[in-house]
Amino acid sequence: MTTKSTSPFDHAMMSIALAMARRGHGNTAPNPAVGAVIADEATGEVVARGWTQPGGRPHAETEAIRRAGDRARGKTMYVTLEPCSHHGKTPPCADAIVAAGLRRVVTAIEDPDPRVAGRGLDRLRAAGLDVDRGIGAAEARWITRGHIVRVTERRPLVTLKIAAGADGAVPRGGGGQPVWVTGAEARARGHLLRAEADAILIGAGTLRDDEPELTCRLPGLVARTPIRVVLSRTRDLTHAEKLIRSAPTAPILFVNGPDNGSTVRSAATAAASGHKWLHVPIVGGRLWLPAVMELLVAEGITRLLVEGGPTIWRSFAEARLVDEVHLFQAASTGSSEKTEVEARAAATVAHLLGDIPLARTSTRPAGADWHVTFRVAPHHEQRPHEGARLIRNDEPS
């Protein structure tokens, strides 16, 4: 419950905190990306801003307090996620807030982590601080969704990145050469999605057809290349040369069926080379996707970008493991009216993913192409079911 009425100033400050939180996407796992602002309600001054630092520490709250120094005393903190109340690798942020002499804390959402789950806010109230929550909650839940589903569903947030022609077709590459259906700006936005993810995933078919590197090649963001994940029933590395060459700086996880002892390299050699073998059950000739999600969470991954191809996209959709879809679609030679673009995008996604409840959230040009984003409607969210589709090694992806 809130302790006082909120104001337009509160909403403005929370908007800044949410923007700070987005800075951490792809850079804070396994910790959530959080933003914090310390402000003076009397003068309207922003005293300090903080966000979760690379690797997950320092946390946003302590970073903002450090920047504010003594000026934090008597001020208000706006933070996108409930301050932690437990001792981990750092002391509780709730204690740091009390020690800094802040007067009031406004948080967007509570933390579902059972180690926190309202205890952080209770600690602040017990220390005499005014506490409000709920401002910017919808956006905060989305920004923090990777953390939320990691805690509540034991999986990362899953984003599908799809590139399709104007007719909705997704051509296959071959001989190690991908086929581009969109232009340079759309591909650059795809690389930005890589920078904002903890891991990027493809199947054996894409590895075989395209022989990709799966790196982020945007200027200034090369170091933000996520962990690369390859799903394959076997340990065939025939088409993985480009991946393995960059493995010392951008790790690779090869997810295969149960280990039968026929290793290509020893585990120690693989680890030294920057890649790792993980194993999941094979049911009906396919890798079991919910088990893959469990393994990725165990590796600290909270935000997963699935590139792959039609088979792997449909598999995630049928397993109910999709949160968001980014569709990059080539422009039609006919009309480019926004309503027609959106209708074509909806038809493309329905064709590729089947009957999955998606709500369109944005439509914007990407050079000569279109970038349309969809999210799963919240009331349709549910955990994977026992009949969830799996991935076969011999299916095109």
Side-chain angles (χ1 to χ4, degrees), residues 78 82 109 121 135 146 172 185 202 255 262-263 265 363 377 388:
Y78 300 85
E82 176 184 7
I109 58 175
L121 300 183
I135 295 179
R172 289 181 63 172
E185 183 168 334
I202 63 170
V255 183
S262 58
T263 56
R265 300 183 181 184
T363 304

Side-chain angles (χ1 to χ4, degrees), residues 82-151:
E82 176 184 7
C84 62
S85 56
H86 62 286
H87 285 268
K89 294 185 178 180
T90 57
C93 287
D95 290 355
I97 291 170
V98 172
L102 285 151
R103 178 187 64 84
R104 179 180 176 228
V105 172
V106 181
T107 186
I109 58 175
E110 290 186 2
D111 190 340
D113 188 324
R115 297 172 299 177
V116 186
R119 294 182 183 89
L121 300 183
D122 288 344
R123 184 171 296 189
L124 298 177
R125 293 188 186 99
L129 279 74
D130 290 337
V131 175
D132 290 275
R133 63 177 172 84
I135 295 179
E139 186 62 19
R141 276 192 291 270
W142 180 254
I143 290 172
T144 319
R145 185 165 173 79
H147 169 69
I148 292 171
V149 295
R150 179 183 69 85
V151 171

